[in-house]
């Protein structure tokens, strides 16, 4: 007879040893509590230990990495970090990523919200067709398009350029952005937009000055989703951005660094590069964790 | 109100639609077309060869090996990842010490766990793959040194170098990096289930396991299904992890080869662009079959609450 059963028995009889039942419930709760904390802490360790190990290794010299991988660093080698930042070009790769992601994020949000607004709030022939054309792209494996995409960019002289990558990032971010934002625009009250129109605002003005500010929560969610996706994108630059060493993006640069440092045996520099790439994103996530979690899960639920 | 409506619509749709058509729709259609050609990708000349690429594909051992691996990933990854995600989310929301006036309670510090579990999700897959490549390093990696430290020096597996182990190592990394997302996703779903449902179940004598299977899981089914599709798409890709982590092309003896990486090597290393697009079409068909199965299996009454 479980604690819960005895509790219901107490409820039904309206009498009985209530104190004894509560005592048993308490014991069950405690055992369960210890068990659940146990497994939860175990997974927390499995997540954090590899990351801490990387940070620790980034502060050691090469010898210590090999001889005692799990020991705390005896002295802090921050020279690894400066070596990775300047000599191994991590600084440049970082800035390349910033340029490309800034451009594509801005473009995605602007073009995505414009298309989503029109598709959500205006009736015109072909509306549904265009909508499904965009949304269908979500279920579409990028890898299938990769070979022809490479030649499309090559023919347009866009291979190995920032603006080429930016355009491709925008194109592949549009399906989800439009899907999410058109759902969002549909829920906004039409009375506000009508009021603006009566006051003499044009459609464009209504969009930028009334509807877009009202859609701010949705824009933030989808913006975070797109930022992480574009910042962490690996496949597209690995194929479309390989001509020029200096133009590599951060994830690409890291992989290239791993290959070259592997030859040189500069493991500490490599770990430093890894941590340089890791820390800013983790720090930003810790500050904005509520929005990031809400943004990403909203992405999956809609 | 109607003044300038169509001009506005065209003005707002033209640019997004043009970018989308050039970089997404047209490559997609071209891929299907090129799959019937002998195009190398190196020269502009090619001719139609009918189903020759498809016949070649069906006779290709490496293709079947990678399909097998993709199917294994499709079966194992969602099951393990979503299973762990559900388990941890249930622990977070229902596994706590019972407090006054509440039938179920979350554990203390559940917010902290959710923050930590989510870490791998915000990291680039390149970072994760590199990190684990070192961890798996047979000589000085974190895993084998850990085995040494606890006195298991005799084990010392070769991890990624062992054809029997390599694919499982890759899968472990994919699970590691995705569990946190599902914990947060399911946790959000669970916290919206009304507490009275749990109270009623406990009064009727249900234990935690019954509560999970009779109440939590059915009410969460829609979310689980979405998660299954997401994880399935992850499993069909696997490009970055395989390319960065495993040794040689597609691991020792092609033991970690997946369709996406096989396609990439055919197109950009071997100069067989036409054949590569054929593989892409095969991948698309596998994706559609997978989506169809999930939809079919997942169809059941929607529960409103």
């Amino acid at each position: 007879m479980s604690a819960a059963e005895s509790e219901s028995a107490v409820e039904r009889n309206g009498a009985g040893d209530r104190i004894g039942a509560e005592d048993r419930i308490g014991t069950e709760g405690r055992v369960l509590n210890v068990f659940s904390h146990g497994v939860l802490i175990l997974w927390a360790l499995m997540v954090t230990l590899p990351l801490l190990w990387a940070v620790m290794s980034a502060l050691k010299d090469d010898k210590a990495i090999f001889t005692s991988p799990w020991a705390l660093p005896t002295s802090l080698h921050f020279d690894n970090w400066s070596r990775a930042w300047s000599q191994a070009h991590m600084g440049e790769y970082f800035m390349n990523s910033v340029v490309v992601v800034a451009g594509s994020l801005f473009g995605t949000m602007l073009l995505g919200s414009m298309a989503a607004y029109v598709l959500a709030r205006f009736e015109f022939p072909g509306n549904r067709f265009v909508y499904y054309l965009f949304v269908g792209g979500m279920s579409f494996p990028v890898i299938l398009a990769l070979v022809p995409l490479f030649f499309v960019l090559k023919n347009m002289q866009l291979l190995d350029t920032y603006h080429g990558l930016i355009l491709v990032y925008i194109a592949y971010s549009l399906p989800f952005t439009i899907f999410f934002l058109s759902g969002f625009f549909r829920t906004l009250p039409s009375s506000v937009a009508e009021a603006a129109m009566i006051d003499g605002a044009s459609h464009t003005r209504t969009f930028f000055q009334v509807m877009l500010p009202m859609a701010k929560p949705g824009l933030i969610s989808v913006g975070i989703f797109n930022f992480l996706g574009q910042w962490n994108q690996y496949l597209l630059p690995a194929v479309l951005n390989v001509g020029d060493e200096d133009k590599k993006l951060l994830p690409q640069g890291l992989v290239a660094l791993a290959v070259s440092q592997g030859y040189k045996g500069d493991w500490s520099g490599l770990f430093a590069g890894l941590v340089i790439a890791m820390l800013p994103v983790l720090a930003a996530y810790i500050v904005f964790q509520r929005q990031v979690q809400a943004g990403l899960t909203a992405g999956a639920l809609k | 109100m109607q003044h300038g409506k169509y001009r506005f619509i065209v003005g707002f749709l033209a640019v997004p639609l043009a970018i989308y058509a050039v970089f997404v729709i047209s490559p997609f259609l071209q891929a299907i077309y090129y799959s019937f050609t002998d195009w190398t990708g190196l020269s502009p000349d090619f001719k139609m060869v009918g189903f020759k690429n498809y016949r070649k594909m069906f006779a290709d051992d490496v293709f079947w090996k990678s399909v097998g691996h993709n199917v294994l990933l499709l079966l194992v990854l969602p099951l393990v990842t979503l299973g762990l995600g559900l388990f941890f989310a249930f622990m977070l929301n229902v596994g706590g010490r019972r407090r006054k006036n509440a039938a179920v309670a979350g554990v203390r510090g559940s917010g902290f766990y959710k923050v930590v579990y989510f870490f791998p999700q915000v990291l680039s897959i390149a970072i994760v793959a590199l990190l684990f490549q070192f961890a798996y390093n047979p000589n000085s990696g974190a895993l084998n040194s850990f085995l040494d430290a606890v006195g298991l020096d005799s084990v010392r597996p070769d991890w990624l170098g062992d054809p029997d182990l390599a694919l499982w190592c890759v899968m472990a990394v994919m699970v590691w990096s995705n569990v946190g997302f599902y914990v947060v996703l399911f946790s959000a779903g669970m916290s919206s289930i009304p507490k009275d449902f749990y109270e009623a179940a406990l009064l009727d004598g249900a234990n935690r396991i019954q509560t999970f299977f009779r109440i939590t899981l059915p009410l969460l089914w829609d979310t689980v299904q979405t998660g299954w599709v997401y994880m399935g798409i992850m499993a069909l890709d696997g490009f970055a992890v395989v390319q960065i982590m495993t040794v040689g092309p597609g691991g020792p003896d092609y033991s970690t080869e997946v369709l996406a990486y096989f396609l990439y090597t055919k197109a950009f290393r071997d100069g067989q662009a036409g054949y590569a697009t054929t593989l892409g079409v095969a991948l698309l068909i596998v994706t559609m079959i997978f989506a169809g199965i999930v939809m079919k299996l997942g169809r059941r009454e929607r529960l409103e609450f």
Side-chain angles (χ1 to χ4, degrees):
Chain A
M1 194 172 182
S2 78
E5 275 175 62
S6 64
E7 188 185 42
S8 65
V10 169
E11 294 282 333
R12 273 197 292 275
N13 299 337
D17 57 344
R18 184 171 269 278
I19 297 160
E22 272 182 8
D23 216 36
R24 260 173 287 155
I25 292 167
T27 321
E28 189 220 35
R30 260 194 297 281
V31 172
L32 186 77
N33 201 36
V34 169
F35 173 72
S36 40
H37 268 296
V39 291
L40 289 170
I41 288 171
L42 194 68
W43 187 260
L45 285 176
M46 286 185 65
V47 168
T48 44
L49 280 182
L51 304 180
L52 287 176
W53 174 70
V55 175
M56 253 165 47
S57 303
L59 291 167
K60 295 174 177 176
D61 57 20
D62 287 315
K63 204 170 138 253
I65 290 178
F66 279 96
T67 49
S68 42
W70 280 102
L72 286 170
T74 44
S75 57
L76 302 181
H77 289 265
F78 279 106
D79 53 303
N80 297 336
W81 299 47
S82 53
R83 205 166 63 245
W85 181 261
S86 49
Q87 279 178 33
H89 309 291
M90 289 301 289
E92 274 171 53
Y93 301 151
F94 197 94
M95 290 320 291
N96 291 343
S97 270
V98 169
V99 169
V100 170
V101 172
S104 55
L105 192 59
F106 176 77
T108 306
M109 298 308 288
L110 180 71
L111 297 176
S113 58
M114 278 161 56
Y117 178 68
V118 170
L119 291 170
R121 299 190 72 103
F122 288 85
E123 272 181 39
F124 58 92
N127 178 318
R128 288 295 84 185
F129 174 75
V130 175
Y131 176 77
Y132 285 114
L133 193 67
F134 274 122
V135 170
M138 280 196 301
S139 58
F140 168 88
V142 181
I143 189 105
L144 169 56
L146 217 52
V147 180
L149 182 64
F150 177 86
F151 291 97
V152 166
L153 264 84
K154 196 176 174 189
N155 293 337
M156 295 171 80
Q157 316 262 318
L158 287 172
L159 221 49
D160 310 321
T161 61
Y162 292 144
H163 48 283
L165 271 185
I166 289 174
L167 286 172
V168 172
Y169 278 23
I170 293 174
Y172 283 89
S173 307
L174 280 177
F176 179 74
T177 308
I178 290 175
F179 173 65
F180 186 93
L181 285 180
S182 63
F184 202 87
F185 279 124
R186 244 174 249 135
T187 63
L188 294 180
S190 49
S191 54
V192 185
E194 276 160 22
M197 298 292 288
I198 290 165
D199 285 349
S202 65
H203 285 294
T204 315
R205 201 180 151 113
T206 309
F207 171 71
F208 282 107
Q209 292 193 338
V210 180
M211 299 310 277
L212 212 50
M214 274 167 66
K216 209 170 141 198
L219 291 175
I220 290 175
S221 292
V222 81
I224 289 170
F225 184 89
N226 282 329
F227 169 76
L228 282 174
Q230 293 175 353
W231 182 262
N232 291 335
Q233 180 58 253
Y234 178 72
L235 180 61
L236 290 172
V239 171
L240 305 175
N241 183 37
V242 287
D244 200 341
E245 274 302 304
D246 306 331
K247 281 211 175 124
K248 279 190 171 29
L249 303 192
L250 195 58
Q252 269 185 296
L254 258 184
V255 175
L257 184 69
V259 175
S260 71
Q261 304 295 77
Y263 286 128
K264 282 190 236 158
D266 182 6
W267 299 103
S268 51
L270 180 49
F271 273 107
L274 209 59
V275 172
I276 289 175
M278 201 164 81
L279 283 187
V281 199
L282 278 186
Y285 162 62
I286 289 170
V287 175
F288 297 108
Q289 37 102 359
R290 222 168 271 282
Q291 288 88 331
V292 175
Q293 288 190 355
L296 281 194
T297 46
L301 284 173
K302 288 281 166 174
Chain B
M1 287 290 279
Q2 293 301 311
H3 176 71
K5 182 183 141 191
Y6 282 99
R7 219 179 56 196
F8 170 73
I9 291 171
V10 171
F12 263 36
L13 270 183
V15 179
L17 205 52
I19 292 179
Y20 186 67
V22 171
F23 296 105
V24 182
I25 303 282
S26 95
F28 173 65
L29 296 177
Q30 286 178 49
I32 294 169
Y33 169 68
Y34 285 133
S35 74
F36 294 101
T37 70
D38 65 353
W39 191 33
T40 58
L42 304 171
S43 77
D45 311 315
F46 59 83
K47 56 180 191 298
M48 297 298 287
V49 292
F51 281 93
K52 194 173 154 226
N53 283 330
Y54 288 87
R55 278 196 297 275
K56 178 180 168 188
M57 182 175 82
F58 285 120
D60 191 334
D61 288 343
V62 183
F63 167 73
W64 286 111
K65 235 178 178 169
S66 30
V67 169
H69 294 153
N70 272 122
V71 170
L72 189 68
L73 291 179
L74 265 179
L75 294 176
V76 175
L77 277 185
L79 206 65
V80 176
T81 314
L82 299 187
L84 282 174
L86 276 169
F87 177 69
F88 290 135
F90 191 65
M91 286 293 149
L92 282 176
N93 287 284
V94 188
R97 193 195 298 266
R98 197 174 297 171
R99 297 188 193 99
K100 275 203 184 85
N101 309 323
V104 291
V107 294
R108 216 174 279 267
S110 63
F112 167 78
Y113 288 120
K114 276 188 259 180
V115 173
V116 171
Y117 287 9
F118 213 72
F119 279 165
Q121 193 65 40
V122 295
L123 294 179
S124 156
I125 191 70
I127 295 179
V128 172
L130 279 176
L131 185 64
F132 277 91
Q133 197 195 23
F134 301 129
Y136 282 129
N137 186 309
N139 299 317
S140 55
L143 276 171
N144 276 357
S145 354
F146 178 77
L147 289 180
D148 289 351
V150 295
L152 289 166
D153 345 18
S154 53
V155 187
R156 292 190 75 91
D158 226 357
W159 302 114
L160 295 166
D162 183 340
D164 295 328
L165 266 183
L167 189 63
W168 297 97
C169 293
V170 169
M171 280 199 252
V173 174
M174 292 172 93
V175 170
W176 181 84
S177 62
N178 283 298
V179 165
F181 174 75
Y182 293 100
V183 172
V184 172
L185 182 69
F186 294 148
S187 201
M190 281 181 199
S191 60
S192 68
I193 296 175
K195 288 276 182 284
D196 344 352
F197 287 22
Y198 287 110
E199 262 160 44
L202 288 171
L203 284 178
D204 287 344
N207 61 29
R208 305 271 170 167
I209 296 169
Q210 288 167 333
T211 317
F212 176 77
F213 283 105
R214 298 283 169 77
I215 297 182
T216 311
L217 196 55
L219 289 176
L220 213 63
W221 193 250
D222 275 351
T223 317
V224 174
Q225 208 185 332
T226 318
W228 195 282
V229 175
Y230 260 54
M231 202 57 218
I233 293 169
M234 283 287 305
L236 278 171
D237 185 352
F239 170 81
V241 191
V242 169
Q243 195 218 14
I244 299 169
M245 278 177 63
T246 61
V247 272
D253 196 21
Y254 293 109
S255 58
T256 58
E257 188 73 273
V258 288
L259 272 174
Y261 186 63
F262 188 41
L263 187 161
Y264 171 84
T265 47
K266 283 292 152 202
F268 298 103
R269 191 198 64 188
D270 300 347
Q272 301 181 12
Y275 184 46
T277 54
T278 312
L279 296 168
V281 174
L283 188 64
L284 179 70
I285 292 169
V286 175
T287 312
M288 274 159 42
I289 293 172
F290 162 74
I293 291 173
V294 172
M295 295 303 160
K296 189 102 185 157
L297 287 180
R299 201 160 47 193
R300 53 154 84 192
E301 269 177 77
R302 261 185 106 87
L303 293 156
E304 299 283 344
F305 59 92

